[in-house]
Amino acid sequence: MRDTAEPCHESEAAEPPMGVTRQSHVTRVHAFLYLVVYDLPATKAGNKRRQRLHDLLFGYGNWKQYSLFECFLSTKQFVTLQHKIEDLIKPAEELLCIYILDSTGIQRTIVYGTQQFSLWQKTVQVPLRPVW
């Protein structure tokens, strides 16, 4: 079993099935996509925790927007991250949600707009249409 978030790509020479883009054709073994979304108060203490949380998540995934990270993790990595988050967050004052997507959910992701983003640790230009 793999314990790293390194991408597991199919052969670069292999063409995806008809009607499927190369982005959705890439497969990952033993990893899920975890979307981590958080909202912390704009207080001095909240700002410090926000920075520590940002630094923590930056070590596990890709920063997408102000309070959104996209992380491809193995189960072991996710459990480790979860424990670190639980030690950092104050649930009575702050909100953090983790959405878990398997390969089917990832393939059915719709992205609008053209922006550079990293998908499976590979920079891809996103068209103004669904990526499935």
Side-chain angles (χ1 to χ4, degrees), residues 1-2 4-9 27-32 73-74:
M1 179 181 283
R2 296 173 52 90
T4 64
E6 291 299 315
C8 298
H9 300 286
T27 60
R28 298 191 54 83
V29 177
H30 305 295
F32 287 93
L73 306 172
S74 67

Side-chain angles (χ1 to χ4, degrees), residues 38-49:
Y38 55 92
D39 185 22
L40 281 66
T43 62
K44 188 173 182 178
N47 291 339
K48 284 183 180 182
R49 276 193 307 281

Side-chain angles (χ1 to χ4, degrees), residues 24-113:
S24 64
H25 186 59
V26 176
T27 60
R28 298 191 54 83
V29 177
H30 305 295
F32 287 93
L33 170 61
Y34 298 89
L35 294 180
V36 182
V37 183
Y38 55 92
D39 185 22
L40 281 66
T43 62
K44 188 173 182 178
N47 291 339
K48 284 183 180 182
R49 276 193 307 281
R50 183 181 304 105
Q51 185 61 51
R52 285 195 299 257
L53 179 61
H54 181 276
D55 293 344
L56 171 67
L57 293 171
F58 199 78
Y60 282 87
N62 299 313
W63 182 38
K64 298 317 232 171
Q65 293 184 1
Y66 288 115
S67 298
L68 176 82
F69 275 82
E70 161 184 280
C71 307
F72 285 101
L73 306 172
S74 67
T75 303
K76 183 177 179 180
Q77 290 172 318
F78 176 64
V79 169
T80 302
L81 176 60
Q82 208 172 5
H83 289 268
K84 290 179 180 181
I85 288 172
E86 290 168 358
D87 291 341
L88 184 62
I89 293 296
K90 292 187 174 184
E93 303 171 21
E94 303 161 347
L95 176 66
L96 186 138
C97 300
I98 301 173
Y99 300 94
I100 304 168
L101 297 172
D102 62 7
S103 61
T104 303
I106 295 167
Q107 290 177 8
R108 296 183 56 82
T109 299
I110 299 172
V111 178
Y112 293 99

